[in-house]
Amino acid sequence: MVATAGSLEMRSVTKRYSVDGSPLVALDDVSLAVEPGEFLAIVGASGCGKSTILRLFAGLDAKHDGAVLHDGAPIVGPSLQRGLVFQEPRLFPWLPVERNVLAALRNSHLDAHARRSAVRDHIALVGLQGFERAYPHQLSGGMAQRVAIARGLVNRPDVLLLDEPLGALDALTRAHLQDELQRIWVRERTTMVLVTHDVDEAVYLADRVVVMSPRPGRIRDIVPVTLPRPRDRGDEALLRLRAHLLRTLAGTPQHAGLALHRAA
Amino acid sequence: MATISVPDRPTRARGIQFAPPVRLIGIGLLVPLLGLAAWTVGARQGWVPPQILPAPQVVWDTFLELWQSGDLLANTLISLQRVLFGFAAGASLGLLLGTAMGLSRPFEAYASVLFTSLAQVPALGWIPLAMLLVGIGESLKLIIVAVGTLVPVAWNTRAGIRAVPSGWFEAASLWRYSRAQVVWHIVLPATVPQIFVGLRYGLGHAWLALVVVELLASSEGLGYLLVWGRQMFQLDVVIATMAVIGAIGFALDAALAAIERRLQRWQVASP
Ligand SMILES: Nc1ncnc2c1ncn2[C@@H]1O[C@H](COP(=O)(O)OP(=O)(O)O)[C@@H](O)[C@H]1O
Ligand SMILES: [Mg+2]
């Protein structure tokens, strides 16, 4: 199955915030095109505008210069066709897992029966069968983030935007969920844009890796990763790409030490 | 083909503790029992004259007498009815007011100074004004009880709404929730714990205020029974009535706590 919808584009987008009265350029003339069905990763030091890009694509922030497009149409607000997963799972503690996922379908065009089966399917997709009735406080961090991913996908969006979704997890759980994400992407072919601090995660999962530099937020480099999937984390070519990316990141003005530290 | 993965283990065991364990209730009874023992011994030894502090046995007999005559039950029912009606009215108004202030910045801008200053006046402080306005009939009791309830309910509802994490609103806008959906499906459930704090405070205040109003201006109710007992120099009646007032206040709070636990089974009970 080849996806035909799900392209995203930014043309000369500049986004300014004002912090205590003084202007702050979060994105400076950024242009970026995401192909339908592509897995794009964005890396860069914190504060370089990665979340801002996702928020603009999600339609959470309408004030900007330049054009932000989904399948060629301007993005003016949120849409069920674009899912967003945050770093924190943002589950509702008063609802069990299945109803947390159902909450994302409140304004879906599906009827009640179709909603129930969509919820069931997506809980299975993230490997949480048997936990439908569990409450968030009974879940580990990794499980909660799986629920968040199921929520992001349950509307069957053309595009899934992921903002450091695995950033808060321990290394083992993170590696495990990276595999899950890859499996889901291979199966669903949803366009995915993944923001991450983790260069290894980026090269392991993505078709292309966007490297950003901060103050002002700009795209510094876009590195294609052409290796076939499933990928081997120890692959020579992957390790070379990783080294290249880390060098590029190290050349960015600030916070470069963070990326190097992670590689060590 | 990837294998189906096993979810990592839950961090917390499934067993949720529900407070309060029996052991703690037992500890809570220790002090009252010691007091009762001291009272018994004191009365038997004649440390205080029986006209001032009648022996526990006398109080108990009086309690049974009051019960059998139907006086106690009738007055209790009147007080309970008053507190429940006043509480219902005050809680509904408080919820409305607190919700409006929590949800609407403009409304809060209009209401907050007035509300905050009026909230500084204790419910009992309203008695003189209310007496002038409505006399000493049933509406006086309702008004005072309602005021005592309204303030903490409105206050806590507003605070609870303000404390709803903004991340949930963002998620809701991604799913294109309408304002009504946000209020009903997110703000309300997220605020329930804090609303219950307000309701429990409110009911406590309401009961207290009612007894005082009945002391001052009533010919029925438990507060009136206190006055009557004092006027007749029947301290046994006074003490028996005080015990009933305390027990009912305790039971009202326990009832709300039980409802709260039922509504919030999802919450990890705090130790
Ligand atoms: N709502 C906001 N108001 C003011 N400044 C903001 C806001 N959101 C982000 N910024 C600023 O914009 C810059 C980019 O932020 P962000 O996109 O969150 O970076 P990243 O996700 O790469 O860490 C940062 O300097 C940040 O402080
Ligand atoms: Mg960010």
Side-chain angles (χ1 to χ4, degrees), chain B residues 28-253:
Chain B
L29 284 176
L30 191 64
V31 176
L33 285 178
L34 281 177
L36 190 62
W39 178 14
T40 311
V41 173
R44 187 158 303 161
Q45 303 294 321
W47 291 338
V48 265
Q51 300 89 323
I52 292 177
L53 189 63
Q57 186 59 47
V58 178
V59 172
W60 177 247
D61 291 341
T62 306
F63 171 78
L64 291 180
E65 245 170 66
L66 282 170
W67 179 257
Q68 275 150 11
S69 71
D71 281 349
L72 187 60
L73 185 63
N75 285 300
T76 301
L77 287 179
I78 283 167
S79 291
L80 273 179
Q81 191 187 340
R82 285 169 174 167
V83 84
L84 291 183
F85 281 136
F87 175 74
S92 316
L93 285 174
L95 269 176
L96 278 178
L97 186 63
T99 307
M101 286 193 296
L103 290 179
S104 158
R105 292 279 171 185
F107 183 83
E108 156 130 79
Y110 282 113
S112 114
V113 171
L114 183 63
F115 174 70
T116 310
S117 28
L118 289 185
Q120 310 307 316
V121 182
L124 302 177
W126 290 87
I127 293 177
L129 180 65
M131 272 183 175
L132 283 177
L133 291 177
V134 302
I136 60 166
E138 279 309 295
S139 27
L140 175 70
K141 287 95 189 173
L142 284 183
I143 287 173
I144 299 308
V145 169
V147 168
T149 308
L150 184 147
V151 171
V153 172
W155 197 275
N156 281 283
T157 304
R158 173 177 66 175
I161 291 175
R162 280 294 149 77
V164 178
S166 64
W168 287 339
F169 295 123
E170 241 171 39
S173 86
L174 286 175
W175 304 324
R176 316 224 44 171
Y177 276 32
S178 65
R179 206 168 155 74
Q181 286 175 325
V182 170
V183 172
W184 185 250
H185 295 292
I186 296 177
V187 173
L188 184 68
T191 314
V192 162
Q194 185 87 46
I195 290 178
F196 261 91
V197 171
L199 288 175
R200 287 175 70 176
Y201 263 109
L203 191 52
H205 284 185
W207 185 236
L208 197 100
L210 176 71
V211 172
V212 177
V213 183
E214 286 179 345
L215 280 173
L216 294 176
S218 183
S219 51
E220 322 159 278
L222 288 172
Y224 168 71
L225 209 55
L226 283 180
V227 179
W228 181 83
R230 190 191 62 86
Q231 281 168 351
M232 298 291 129
F233 272 103
Q234 297 198 1
L235 269 291
D236 46 345
V237 172
V238 171
I239 294 173
T241 308
M242 283 169 68
V244 171
I245 290 169
I248 288 177
F250 188 88
L252 288 174
D253 187 62

Side-chain angles (χ1 to χ4, degrees), chain A residues 167-188:
Chain A
L169 304 176
D170 62 89
L172 213 63
T173 311
R174 195 186 322 154
H176 193 59
L177 278 186
Q178 286 164 0
D179 290 339
E180 295 272 294
L181 214 52
Q182 175 145 289
R183 180 179 62 81
I184 291 169
W185 178 76
V186 166
R187 206 182 114 176
E188 309 280 319

Side-chain angles (χ1 to χ4, degrees), chain A residues 190-205:
Chain A
T190 310
T191 307
M192 292 200 181
V193 182
L194 170 75
V195 163
T196 177
H197 259 101
D198 184 343
V199 171
D200 295 304
E201 183 169 292
V203 292
Y204 182 60
L205 290 171

